Amino acid sequence: MSLSARRGVTPYLLLLPGLMWLGLFFAVPLVTLVSTSLYDPSGSLREGYRMTWHFATYAEALQAYWPQFRRSFTYAGTATVLALVIGYPLAYTIAFKAGRWKNVLLVLVIAPFFTSFLVRTLAWTTILADDGFVVQTLQAVGLMDPTGRLLATPVAVIAGITYNFLPFTTLPLYASLEKIDHRVIEAAQDLYCSGTQAFRRVTFPLSLPGVVAGTLLTFIPAAGDFINAALLGTPSTYMIGNVIESQFLQVTDYPTASALSVMLMATIVALVVVYVRKAGTEELL
Amino acid sequence: MSTTDTAARDTRGEGTSSRPSGPRSPLRAAVQFAGRHVVVVAAVGSLTYLLLPIAVVILQSFNKPAGRYNTSFNEFTLSNWTNMCAAGGMCDSVVLSLQIAVLATIGATVLGSAIAFALVRHRFRGRSSINMLIFLPMATPEVVMGSSLLTLFVSMQMRLGFWTLLIAHIMFTLSFVVVTVKARLSGLDPNLEEAARDLYANAWSTFWRVTFPLALPGIMAAAMLAFALSFDDFIVSNFNAGNEVNFPMFVWGASRRGVPPQVNVIGTLMFVVALLAVVGGQWAAAQRHRSR
């Protein structure tokens, strides 16, 4: 009897502190974010805000920052597709061809995380600089006109985002490719599938859970990122994250900034729900 | 164990691909051959893309800067390493990052491991909604997390600084700890605990002498992950640090004024320490495996 009584209380005692932390500092802030977005926009941080249920802030913010909003999702979407295209061969090679080098290659995939996100992103300013070897080479080969540049262009920002979130695409892809039973692929080949056909009709569909997980893990942080756009771009490449950051920390227009933050979150949630549903029912193909 | 496994698989893979599939045509064979190698070539390209910036960071840490903005290698020097703290404010920011990371790791590991134990070892109502609550912070963009926490602190009129930074870091590392410890716990054989109970161990000694030691590698991994996430966090910190400056915030600020080369020294040091930790961890695991 005492054992069953203990069984009843113990899990709640274990859960309570951590869940309270998440409730107080994750869930409650989301509520204050929404309520801040509805404050009277004529208030200020110093004089205080009044709650006026001012929904118009949303329309105004969207109107003012529509380019940055659209850019965020365009850049994040492009980077997600690129990360998939770049990450798939890598994950495939590690899962099927690496042999004893598998662990070494996996460590190399996560190696970028071993050093600082910002320092790595700044390294791209060196790599893509106007007098750097990438630009020089492209110009020498004639793939780029002599006055062309990479830094401070959308190309640099998208390349930076793709780079920063590539491991988040590669690792789930690897995990789902690794799980595939090789006998299934062999069976396809025994049934006269060519290598390409076997890949298209067996291996790739079986890796779809990894594709879905990888694209989500890349797209969500990429849509909110503002580090790449700030370090590798110019104001003309700024994303919604840059606007939220400056509205909160420099302009201190809290209602507008909160409204943008809420809309970013809502858009991501909506896109993710549609994507997951589509991926679930139609197998994405 | 896994190497022999994959080696066996590899030979099997080679066998099937060299087997003629359908009517043998030289063109198809050539395409298949190229196709196989295209994948590996593409993978090497992807790895280069991933590793190139690290090489640049290491190289730049030995570079004598030509001016405020350094985009090319100028001259080899060790002075960035010997005068690490000559970059004004950088070492203070590293110290702050370390303090926050250590405290956040302790907090998140204790709170998160407790949640993981409850979720894996106990059955109770509301488990699935709790799993959802754990998952959400990992699926929320950091800007939203950071800015929402800022609105809370401001509406509570809390002074932004060390403590708000610590609160934020425990919050966003907590979920990662839960997931990592959960993965380890659910991989454990429950029979081991049952055996302990059969041998008249009470719940407490079963936990301390069986469950906890078995879960420890997972808890250590979770702690390392929490430390790394906290040490390198910029976005959430930027919203909640007030006048405090951690290392990523220092780099952010410096990127406008010209980055001191010592930043690359810290980047390189982080890389080396993390690499040693991972290689050391794998080596220790291999030793344990062998001695068993």
Side-chain angles (χ1 to χ4, degrees), chain B residues 113-183:
Chain B
S113 304
I115 294 179
F117 274 105
L119 286 173
V120 177
R121 282 292 177 265
H122 294 273
R123 297 283 166 273
F124 53 88
R125 276 195 295 163
R127 271 177 88 237
S128 55
S129 42
I130 289 170
N131 273 318
M132 191 68 193
L133 179 64
I134 302 299
F135 166 76
L136 276 176
M138 294 188 290
T140 306
E142 277 198 275
V143 219
V144 176
M145 221 156 36
S147 62
S148 64
L149 203 50
L150 172 65
T151 62
L152 176 81
F153 290 144
V154 167
S155 71
M156 285 170 59
Q157 302 192 326
M158 265 178 89
R159 245 180 71 94
L160 298 177
F162 188 89
W163 296 105
T164 53
L165 205 54
L166 182 59
I167 286 172
H169 279 229
I170 293 177
M171 182 271 291
F172 76 78
T173 50
L174 188 54
S175 297
F176 291 92
V177 171
V178 176
V179 169
T180 313
V181 177
K182 244 178 80 177

Side-chain angles (χ1 to χ4, degrees), chain A residues 86 96 115 117 159 190 224 261, chain B residues 10 12 19 46 49 143 147 232 267:
Chain A
I86 297 169
F96 292 146
T115 184
F117 188 106
D190 284 345
S261 211
Chain B
D10 263 8
R12 215 188 303 156
R19 188 182 302 164
S46 310
Y49 181 45
V143 219
S147 62
D232 196 29

Side-chain angles (χ1 to χ4, degrees), chain A residues 52-64:
Chain A
T52 52
W53 300 98
H54 194 270
F55 286 100
T57 304
Y58 280 84
E60 288 157 14
L62 200 58
Q63 202 171 18

Side-chain angles (χ1 to χ4, degrees), chain A:
Chain A
M1 191 61 223
S2 73
L3 190 67
S4 66
R6 197 214 295 282
R7 216 175 255 165
V9 181
T10 320
Y12 297 105
L13 288 178
L14 288 171
L15 288 168
L16 197 66
L19 290 186
M20 268 180 60
W21 203 279
L22 281 183
L24 271 178
F25 302 120
F26 176 75
V28 173
L30 290 178
V31 177
T32 55
L33 184 72
V34 174
S35 73
T36 305
S37 72
L38 299 171
Y39 286 165
D40 177 12
S42 64
S44 75
L45 193 55
R46 198 161 297 157
E47 291 151 22
Y49 288 103
R50 282 178 309 120
M51 176 53 117
T52 52
W53 300 98
H54 194 270
F55 286 100
T57 304
Y58 280 84
E60 288 157 14
L62 200 58
Q63 202 171 18
Y65 299 107
W66 176 245
Q68 288 88 339
F69 222 89
R70 212 186 41 193
R71 202 177 289 135
S72 297
F73 290 99
T74 314
Y75 285 8
T78 312
T80 305
V81 173
L82 284 173
L84 195 60
V85 171
I86 297 169
Y88 206 105
L90 184 54
Y92 187 90
T93 303
I94 299 175
F96 292 146
K97 295 174 191 291
R100 55 188 303 193
W101 294 96
K102 190 176 278 187
N103 284 339
V104 175
L105 288 176
L106 281 172
V107 170
L108 290 180
V109 170
I110 58 165
F113 294 140
F114 294 173
T115 184
S116 166
F117 188 106
L118 278 129
V119 176
R120 275 185 283 140
T121 309
L122 278 176
W124 280 105
T125 62
T126 307
I127 298 167
L128 301 176
D130 296 344
D131 53 355
F133 67 92
V134 175
V135 170
Q136 302 276 328
T137 312
L138 286 175
Q139 285 171 346
V141 182
L143 279 169
M144 190 185 222
D145 64 88
T147 55
R149 57 188 317 214
L150 283 174
L151 207 57
T153 66
V155 176
V157 178
I158 293 171
I161 298 174
T162 310
Y163 161 77
N164 274 314
F165 299 109
L166 184 55
F168 293 106
T169 311
T170 310
L171 291 175
L173 279 175
Y174 162 75
S176 66
L177 284 168
E178 162 76 359
K179 269 193 221 129
I180 294 176
D181 185 343
H182 283 240
R183 285 171 298 185
V184 184
I185 301 168
E186 272 172 49
Q189 283 170 338
D190 284 345
L191 295 166
Y192 299 109
C193 258
S194 70
T196 328
Q197 278 176 320
F199 174 77
R200 206 165 50 84
R201 303 181 64 166
V202 180
T203 313
F204 185 72
L206 285 174
S207 70
L208 276 180
V211 172
V212 173
T215 47
L216 287 179
L217 283 174
T218 301
F219 182 79
I220 296 172
D225 178 76
F226 59 86
I227 297 172
N228 290 285
L231 297 186
L232 306 174
T234 60
S236 68
T237 61
Y238 277 1
M239 295 160 70
I240 201 63
N242 301 82
V243 180
I244 296 174
E245 192 253 0
S246 79
Q247 288 290 316
F248 266 118
L249 301 174
Q250 272 103 56
V251 186
T252 62
D253 178 353
Y254 275 34
T256 303
S258 303
L260 290 169
S261 211
V262 171
M263 283 190 285
L264 171 67
M265 183 71 184
T267 314
I268 288 175
V269 169
L271 287 175
V272 166
V273 167
V274 170
Y275 174 69
V276 168
R277 196 162 286 174
K278 215 172 162 79
T281 53
E282 292 168 28
E283 296 280 12
L284 257 173
L285 285 175

